[in-house]
Amino acid sequence: MALDFLAGCVGGAAGVLVGHPFDTVKVRLQVQNVEKPLYRGTFHCFQSIIKQESAFGLYKGIGSPMMGLTFINALVFGVQGNTLRALGKDTPLNQFLAGSAAGAIQCVICCPMELAKTRMQLQGTGEYKLKTKNYKNSLDCLIKIYQKEGLRGINRGMVSTFIRETPSFGFYFLTYDCMTRYLGCEAEDSYVIPKLLFSGGMSGIVSWLSTYPMDVIKSRLQADGVGGVTQYNGILDCVRKSYHEEGWRVFTRGLTSTLLRAFPVNAATFATVTVFLMYMKSEENLPECEPGPVIHQPSSL
């Protein structure tokens, strides 16, 4: 378990580095003003951020998911593995239930982490050099939110995060289990790594599609109050106002960048995990690498 945990941390870090620019674009698209939109779409958003804020603008807020990565992976692996053992049988249904349990519990860390990430990603939108810098880094962001709003402010968006993460992780583990069974991922198979990469990538896509509208609501709630203006009184109020002002398409805003991000993030994660496990097990003279554990993509997926 210690080796799997360490591999998950290394693989998860690789996934964050690959996927964070896509996540920044997703958040910008989700929360922009529909009456005065800054971006016309995913690729225009990419171009605008690089042009106006440099390539480093795409990595705003990366400190938060990096900081929370170790704790999230620890919770996900520990809870999912123990729940699956407690359920007794390794069946698709039990994979879904174990994954859902892992997703629910890791919200305790995931929610504050994503709150800081979102606030950092929105800071200095459209500015090459920040004129006003409210937060120095992700930790400073959380400290200032706590000083101003207390624990309730730190946990802003917790319910929407819980609603998103619980079924999302269930579908993620379920899809991965079904894909690896269907593709026949065996340790002695010379194509086991490509199969694991494909299974992980598709799992990420399915998990995002299953709960994406709630992710839009979560981002809007966590971004609410930036600039001193509060628009929403809760999840239902956010859903009602968003739909009334922008129609049903608002719940798919940023989906393209999310799906573009989902596959390579999981591919990078699984490739890193597999190579790491192969190297460590060869050093210890253990058997050939077995299919690695399912890895959580930070925020998330």
Side-chain angles (χ1 to χ4, degrees):
M1 286 186 66
L3 188 60
D4 287 341
F5 169 70
L6 184 57
C9 292
V10 175
V16 171
L17 289 172
V18 171
H20 194 77
F22 293 95
D23 188 73
T24 299
V25 171
K26 180 204 73 170
V27 171
R28 293 283 182 93
L29 290 172
Q30 285 179 337
V31 303
Q32 72 173 341
N33 191 327
V34 67
E35 296 178 356
K36 297 179 181 179
L38 294 174
Y39 314 112
R40 294 191 297 270
T42 299
F43 297 106
H44 180 249
C45 185
F46 264 111
Q47 293 173 346
S48 299
I49 293 175
I50 294 173
K51 183 179 179 180
Q52 297 170 358
E53 306 170 44
S54 81
F56 291 106
L58 293 170
Y59 284 93
K60 284 182 177 178
I62 194 172
S64 181
M66 280 294 188
M67 283 192 300
L69 180 68
T70 301
F71 301 104
I72 286 178
N73 279 340
L75 283 175
V76 168
F77 289 131
V79 173
Q80 196 271 346
N82 283 301
T83 303
L84 194 60
R85 283 189 288 272
L87 292 172
K89 294 183 179 180
D90 183 6
T91 64
L93 176 60
N94 287 346
Q95 286 283 354
F96 179 85
L97 295 175
S100 296
I105 292 179
Q106 60 90 42
C107 289
V108 176
I109 295 173
C110 178
C111 180
M113 181 195 77
E114 293 203 351
L115 174 64
K117 173 183 68 66
T118 298
R119 295 292 178 90
M120 290 293 293
Q121 286 172 327
L122 296 176
Q123 182 172 245
T125 299
E127 298 179 11
Y128 189 81
K129 291 184 178 180
L130 293 182
K131 297 176 182 177
T132 56
K133 194 171 183 179
N134 296 322
Y135 312 116
K136 297 176 183 178
N137 50 53
S138 299
L139 183 59
D140 180 59
C141 177
L142 289 174
I143 291 174
K144 288 183 176 178
I145 292 174
Y146 176 76
Q147 291 173 342
K148 186 178 180 179
E149 306 175 46
L151 283 175
R152 186 170 183 176
I154 289 291
N155 291 300
R156 181 188 292 267
M158 178 64 77
V159 176
S160 56
T161 301
F162 177 83
I163 296 173
R164 182 195 71 175
E165 295 288 82
T166 302
S168 177
F169 265 84
F171 283 113
Y172 186 71
F173 279 85
L174 173 63
T175 303
Y176 178 75
D177 180 67
C178 292
M179 288 291 295
T180 51
R181 290 174 188 269
Y182 176 76
L183 293 175
C185 295
E186 301 294 339
E188 62 273 8
D189 188 351
S190 58
Y191 295 102
V192 65
I193 293 178
K195 289 179 179 180
L196 290 173
L197 295 177
F198 182 73
S199 299
M202 292 306 297
S203 299
I205 290 175
V206 170
S207 67
W208 272 111
L209 288 173
S210 66
T211 58
Y212 189 78
M214 184 52 64
D215 183 68
V216 176
I217 300 303
K218 191 270 311 175
S219 293
R220 292 195 161 205
L221 289 173
Q222 291 187 328
D224 196 30
V226 174
V229 180
T230 303
Q231 301 181 60
Y232 311 117
N233 294 321
I235 295 176
L236 294 179
D237 184 55
C238 182
V239 171
R240 183 171 57 252
K241 287 181 178 178
S242 298
Y243 178 76
H244 182 263
E245 295 173 3
E246 304 172 52
W248 64 269
R249 289 183 182 275
V250 68
F251 300 113
T252 62
R253 182 177 289 181
L255 181 60
T256 300
S257 62
T258 300
L259 296 183
L260 286 173
R261 166 182 174 260
F263 199 97
V265 162
N266 281 275
T269 301
F270 273 94
T272 305
V273 168
T274 304
V275 171
F276 181 86
L277 287 175
M278 289 178 67
Y279 174 77
M280 293 300 293
K281 290 187 177 183
S282 65
E283 287 291 309
E284 297 177 6
N285 295 318
L286 294 178
E288 287 295 314
C289 179
E290 299 176 356
V294 179
I295 309 301
H296 168 56
Q297 52 173 332
S299 358
S300 280
L301 274 136

